[in-house]
Amino acid sequence: MSAHSTDEGLHTTSIRSLELQYRGKVRDIYVIDDAHWLIIATDRVSAFDVILPNVIPGKGKLLTKLAMFWFNRVQAMIPNHLANLSLESILPDPAERAQAEGRCMIVRRLKALPIEAIVRGYIIGSGWKDYQDTGSVCGHTLPEGLQQADKLPQVLFTPATKAELGDHDENISFDTMVGIVGEKLADDIRRVSLALYNDAASYALERGIIIADTKFEFGQDSQGNLVLMDEILTPDSSRFWEAQTWKPGISPPSYDKQYVRDWLETLDWNKTSPGPEVPQEVINGTLERYQEAVDRLTR
């Protein structure tokens, strides 16, 4: 599929001057050279690990704007993967450059760690299901009587293994994570992830947004230093709730793709590919929520 004009949204990039490294659920990654990649956030939307046929026009630009804002905010806490190269030097062709402008990150190539660093401040989603079944979340025993969307007694770090495209990530214990990456790295990832979440959650709350949970991804540079990568604290990697209307006991209205998921849950669909066509009002509603979150958090 070729690149569409930006008005219709960008489903798939077609950049011939660089080698395509990987097409993910949302991002297309190209090789710049041995040390750098170009990551372009398309307007694709995935839910339940299935890429849906429609795009949400402009979503990739909003995600990129918000991720860049956070990377800039937390750079004193941990180095990140952004590289100081100009897009013009990488994509001299204006037509190719237009596919990337405003929706790309030029990044250092890192050794990606096979861990999703998930931090939960509230109980929702798979954590809520886990708690209903076992009274705990990913091995953390919790007090009885919590309701859906309750604030957790303390913020939890609940790692998962990264799945191949189309598979579901699997929650693991901290001990299992230590077995995968070693004790020092596991400790560092947990410490940094909790610090990043706590900083972002208090910042967002001042702007009327609850960050219920989020996930971070990390890599290592050639010296073995821990580096923050991928995207951070966007509506694609986090649950953002409206603080004013939040109350425990219900799944709160959110500024993320939960709106799409909720619509999908009303369908007779088995959550395998191909996904259903998303109606225009769901696309518009999702985009409005993304825009509102980005506006509030970055102004």
Side-chain angles (χ1 to χ4, degrees):
M1 193 178 295
S2 67
H4 299 309
S5 79
T6 43
D7 298 338
E8 299 162 14
L10 179 72
H11 187 284
T12 309
T13 57
S14 57
I15 289 175
R16 307 260 181 263
S17 62
L18 299 177
E19 178 198 341
L20 180 70
Q21 170 76 20
Y22 180 71
R23 243 187 247 294
K25 288 180 227 171
V26 173
R27 285 167 182 72
D28 293 350
I29 301 176
Y30 290 88
V31 178
I32 296 171
D33 57 31
D34 288 349
H36 299 95
W37 279 334
L38 175 69
I39 303 180
I40 303 176
T42 70
D43 296 327
R44 295 194 290 270
V45 62
S46 78
F48 306 112
D49 295 312
V50 174
I51 297 169
L52 301 178
N54 316 56
V55 294
I56 296 181
K59 168 177 166 274
K61 290 187 174 180
L62 288 169
L63 290 178
T64 302
K65 180 180 179 182
L66 188 55
M68 296 293 269
F69 165 80
W70 288 117
F71 277 128
N72 189 44
R73 180 178 161 81
V74 303
Q75 62 187 353
M77 294 166 74
I78 180 169
N80 63 56
H81 66 169
L82 295 173
N84 193 12
L85 298 173
S86 79
L87 186 60
E88 288 75 12
S89 65
I90 293 158
L91 295 178
D93 178 303
E96 290 196 334
R97 197 161 64 239
Q99 297 176 51
E101 273 172 340
R103 58 168 74 243
C104 74
M105 291 189 225
I106 298 161
V107 306
R108 295 183 286 150
R109 291 172 71 160
L110 302 168
K111 178 188 162 201
L113 295 168
I115 298 290
E116 303 254 310
I118 298 165
V119 183
R120 302 170 190 266
Y122 293 73
I123 190 161
I124 195 74
S126 64
W128 171 240
K129 291 193 177 94
D130 199 2
Y131 173 74
Q132 287 176 294
D133 293 342
T134 66
S136 62
V137 172
C138 304
H140 297 270
T141 305
L142 295 174
E144 287 179 26
L146 291 179
Q147 293 180 274
Q148 184 181 24
D150 248 330
K151 187 170 185 184
L152 289 162
Q154 80 267 4
V155 176
L156 300 180
F157 176 76
T158 61
T161 52
K162 283 163 74 162
E164 292 298 310
L165 191 64
D167 289 337
H168 296 278
D169 300 335
E170 190 179 333
N171 294 333
I172 56 172
S173 69
F174 185 73
D175 288 346
T176 304
M177 178 178 160
V178 169
I180 296 169
V181 299
E183 189 165 7
K184 179 175 186 319
L185 209 47
D187 280 337
D188 285 349
I189 289 169
R190 177 169 62 182
R191 176 181 51 76
V192 170
S193 298
L194 289 168
L196 288 168
Y197 172 82
N198 286 326
D199 173 71
S202 62
Y203 172 88
L205 196 56
E206 289 166 8
R207 285 149 186 84
I209 291 176
I210 289 170
I211 303 178
D213 54 33
T214 195
K215 70 169 183 188
F216 300 107
E217 299 199 30
F218 296 93
Q220 287 175 295
D221 64 14
S222 52
Q223 284 82 51
N225 298 312
L226 190 65
V227 181
L228 189 58
M229 56 179 262
D230 196 50
E231 59 169 340
I232 56 165
L233 296 157
T234 71
D236 267 17
S237 66
S238 323
R239 280 190 180 85
F240 289 171
W241 295 338
E242 171 58 63
Q244 273 193 299
T245 56
W246 165 77
K247 62 173 193 283
I250 58 159
S251 180
S254 61
Y255 290 107
D256 52 48
K257 63 184 179 186
Q258 191 62 40
Y259 191 67
V260 178
R261 287 194 205 103
D262 288 346
W263 170 75
L264 288 166
E265 291 280 22
T266 67
L267 306 181
D268 184 19
W269 173 54
N270 63 1
K271 295 180 185 168
T272 57
S273 204
E277 286 276 337
V278 184
Q280 192 62 44
E281 68 264 22
V282 176
I283 290 173
N284 293 347
T286 304
L287 196 57
E288 281 163 20
R289 284 162 173 76
Y290 276 69
Q291 184 75 57
E292 171 77 12
V294 173
D295 288 349
R296 278 208 213 174
L297 290 168
T298 59
R299 64 167 171 246

